[in-house]
Amino acid sequence: MRYALLISLLAVPALAKDPAPPEMPRFQWENFTTANGLPDNKVFNVKVDGNRVWAATENGLGLYENGKWKVFRPADGLVHRVATYVDVDKRTHDVWIATMGGLSRYSGGRFDNFTQLNSGLPNDVVYGVAVKDDYVWTATAAGAGRLNLKTGQWSLYHERNTPMYEIWTYAVSPGSDKVYYAVWGAGVLEYDVKTERWKDYNDPDGETEMVLFKDQGLVHEITTSVSYVEKEKVIWVATYFGASRYDMRNWKNFLQKDSGLPSDFLNQVKAVDGTRCWFSTDKGLAYYDGENWAVYRPALDSGKPEMLVRDATGKVTQAAVDTAPAHNYIFGLDFQGDDVWVATARGVSHGIRVK
Amino acid sequence: MRILLAFALASVMFASEPRYLNPIELAVSPDGARLYIVCEGSDELVVVDAQSGKAIRRVRVGRVPKGLAISPDGARVFVANAWGDTVSVVDAASLQVAKTYRAGFEPTSVALAGPALYTANRIGNDISVIDAATGEETRRLTAGRGASYLAVSPSGNSLVSTHIYPNIGPYRTVPESELTFIDTHGSYVQSRDRIENAAGMFHAAFSKDGRLGIAAQIRPKNLIPLAHVEHGFALGNSILVFGEDVGEPVQLLIDELDRYYSMPFGVAITPDKRTAYISTTGADSVTVIDVPKLLAFVRNLSPRERKRAGNDLAAASHFVTRRIDVGRSPKGMALSPDGARLYVANRLDDSISVIDTRLNQVERAIPLGGPEPVTPLRRGERLFYNAKFSFQKQFGCAGCHIEGTLDGLAWDLEPDGFGIDIVDNKPLEAVDGTEPFKWNGGNPDLETECGIRTEKFFYRSQSYSKTELDDLVKFIKAMPARPNRFRAANGELTAAQERGLAVFERTRRKNGAPIPDELQCGTCHSGPKYTNQQLTHVGTRKPTDRSSSIDTPHLVGIALSAPYLHDGSARTLEEIWTVFNPKDQHGVTNDLSKDELNDLIEYLKTL
């Protein structure tokens, strides 16, 4: 009798159902390569502007519109063939393109080019660009530059007038009140629009290889991207050694070993809001909803479409999918309603939201 | 401060002159009862009864108004104040300025499309989009260089902007302007039509059905030596024909083989689409075009002929039916709503010519009550804008010095050898006291520059009398510099401008070594207009230059006079030092950091 009772007690957990994996966004992935007219398969950045999608690639700028790709290269007026980043001025639809040879503006079919020789641009190696109100902010290999669109004045920011001790600025995320820079090797820099003052955020342990003070500050100095959520005053930061979130009071660091990040090597971070964020890594595209994670990629071993879901307890399940982004090396993404567009090392992927 | 003083002195000179009205643009009220006339000389909107010609009111608006638009219901008149950087909103009932809106730098034209006002900002090279009800500027659109004239399509769905200067392109290449098309629903730039070989473009107008557009323009021949003037060798006075009716835009001369009609400016197309009118400012006339014949001519052109039509001096004979003599310096025009009358603003007569469009002749002139005496300055201004002195009346001073400024081009002038001594065209504002003239300093004064030299090498025709030359020089010397938009109204410099001043004035390199006097900015660029009026060498001599000596140019308004250097080879201020100063001969700048150079440029923009 006691054995029967013991067996029945042991059987209860076995009979109870495992909690269902959390519902995470599901996509049907449509991939574009040079075979579809994309200028190059190595795509550093995508930007959505309504029904248009811009792609910054290693060999030109691509525009996807009405089901076709159009290509722009130096022969068409683009300042340099290697386009690293694209942003669009929401008010005017002017397109700003960061390249390895200067900054281009594409407006109504005309390219205007800014170089360090013909303008106040700090350096021709431009990694990032962002337009906010009447300013164009650039992240270059020799510091940050801001163009006043009304007066034409360039203001430069570097190690002599900001706290940055490395001047290799990599990405910029502007708000109306604050502007954030990811400075490769110097953490995150914050510019207060009202006071015109700069402030830096650094890795408190200063350790390159380890995270000694978890959640005490920025996870690492080698930052590649920052995404500012102005409404909630939250920044998300991508580094080559993990990710961070800061709400102006508390830091939260994310590492592969204790989160759903498929890798600590991040190229970009793109916030949905203060709680949810997308991470572009070298081992897949990750999404975090504040508790749970999803990773979208071709499986690292087989190359087959893979979607991994990690819940708040750390349990990982594999969702059944038959499509995936073009490659696991993800450079960045942008949103088009519920859809996502993704820049990868092997083309552009359009994630059509199905669930 | 010295510049402010010089500006004030010039203004006082002009101020002691009687204040002529200088009507420049006009519009007819929707009911046809009133004419609204923008007078840039008196800073007024003059309202006239269209039937009687009597003035109803003179409304004081902002500084140097240049454009206007009327709301469809006729209740409001918007006036673009070019030197005030504002738009005056005039209530048509009370004829008072009800509101004043801020615009960009030098709003030259204003148009209303839906709930938005658009201003073409000539110096800003952009277009302001302003909420017509609140005055809030909602966005600024990138235009071409010298955005100046706007036209709304009849449907209201789009707006086109033209530009008085060509876009800055590579050195010694074909100049190129553009038509900027704006989608008025979203208020964004939809497209740009590149117009090759066009430099200054002026007014554009649409036919009532929206299928045809005509723009007034100038085609320069600046890439070939000015060896002679006949056969349109200097400037082609022309129109651009565009729209669904013609497909690819076509440029057509309105000149004839042996007679030219200088400075095409205003355009009007009758509601029945039978006639188009072009005011030709330098010819004191209005050119009449038969539109059906124009369209037939264009449609019969082969693709090859279309490309070359802009050089065909026989073309006008196919569609120009008449030239109507009007007053002096005709500028803006407006048709009555029924198309029966064409009103023409005669800028330098302070009058309006009224043309009967059935007969195509002037039926009367409406005097606006400007000052009676014609002063030497006024005579000089009339000479400046008239082309009658040049061979076959092809061009006058204002053909290259558009409204006293520049044309954005470099030219091969004078018999110094073909391809030798290419020279950049400079604006004429504030030239008084900056002799000698010519980039090589060869002309000791304006009397020589504008007199013998102009007659012999440019006009190749009639000479000015001594009195005429005196009057012309008087006028040029009195041209005031436009307000500087980069300097605060109280004259204070920003932090960047202060740093730039320090660079300008420095006497030592960053390593402490002294900078020789001759290489300090303030040595050559000294005095109230930043020129010591001496010849100097700055290492910018090209193989095609006969000499390395350059007359030190003044720096007043330097921000606006691109391209730079004696031959226009530097497209921006930056390039003067980043490209063309490798040996520190044009000032010591190679030890400057990029932001220090930026600061220097910020300071120079305040001059």
Side-chain angles (χ1 to χ4, degrees), chain B residues 463-478:
Chain B
S463 307
Y464 293 123
S465 67
K466 180 161 186 327
T467 307
E468 285 168 338
L469 183 58
D470 285 348
D471 291 343
L472 177 64
V473 167
K474 199 166 269 160
F475 169 69
I476 293 171
K477 283 184 173 179

Side-chain angles (χ1 to χ4, degrees), chain B residues 19 213 308 311 368 381 449 501 507 521 528 554 604 607:
Chain B
R19 205 159 178 201
R308 297 160 72 99
N311 285 335
L368 296 179
E381 188 173 15
E449 177 83 355
L501 172 59
T507 57
C521 303
H554 74 79
L604 292 176
L607 303 181

Side-chain angles (χ1 to χ4, degrees), chain B residues 25 36 125 150 157 166 213 258 346 418 433 459 467 518 541 585 607:
Chain B
E25 298 287 355
Y36 293 101
N125 307 318
L150 300 171
N157 292 334
D258 55 0
N346 301 310
F418 287 173
Y459 291 166
T467 307
E518 65 272 18
R541 182 182 181 182
Q585 290 172 284
L607 303 181

Side-chain angles (χ1 to χ4, degrees), chain B residues 19-217:
Chain B
R19 205 159 178 201
Y20 299 98
L21 273 60
N22 288 6
I24 190 165
E25 298 287 355
L26 73 169
V28 184
S29 60
D31 62 5
R34 285 179 177 176
L35 300 179
Y36 293 101
I37 304 156
V38 169
C39 294
E40 65 168 350
S42 59
D43 296 345
E44 291 176 314
L45 176 72
V46 175
V47 187
V48 167
D49 182 291
Q51 184 155 19
S52 67
K54 286 193 172 10
I56 297 171
R57 184 79 61 87
R58 287 165 70 149
V59 183
R60 192 72 183 215
V61 289
R63 286 192 66 201
V64 188
K66 280 193 184 284
L68 81 167
I70 305 179
S71 59
D73 60 4
R76 291 171 298 168
V77 181
F78 302 93
V79 179
N81 303 307
W83 284 22
D85 296 347
T86 59
V87 174
S88 297
V89 184
V90 179
D91 178 271
S94 64
L95 292 179
Q96 308 260 4
V97 174
K99 297 178 194 178
T100 302
Y101 296 157
R102 288 229 60 87
F105 293 164
E106 201 146 317
T108 302
S109 177
V110 58
L112 186 64
L117 272 179
Y118 295 80
T119 65
N121 305 315
R122 181 174 286 185
I123 284 177
N125 307 318
D126 50 32
I127 293 167
S128 293
V129 184
I130 300 169
D131 184 309
T134 65
E136 182 199 350
E137 185 177 2
T138 58
R139 65 197 66 184
R140 189 77 67 90
L141 304 177
T142 305
R145 187 180 183 199
S148 291
Y149 301 103
L150 300 171
V152 184
S153 67
S155 66
N157 292 334
S158 76
L159 178 76
V160 69
S161 174
T162 63
H163 309 81
I164 62 164
Y165 306 125
N167 290 334
I168 296 179
Y171 179 59
R172 295 302 278 167
T173 53
V174 172
E176 189 180 280
S177 189
E178 70 174 56
L179 289 183
T180 310
F181 287 93
I182 293 162
D183 178 308
T184 54
H185 291 299
S187 291
Y188 63 92
V189 175
Q190 188 172 37
S191 63
R192 302 173 197 274
D193 275 1
R194 295 166 68 167
I195 312 298
E196 255 197 10
N197 261 313
M201 294 191 77
F202 305 94
H203 272 289
F206 290 96
S207 59
K208 195 173 173 186
D209 61 8
R211 294 177 54 85
L212 172 67
I214 298 177
Q217 58 163 54

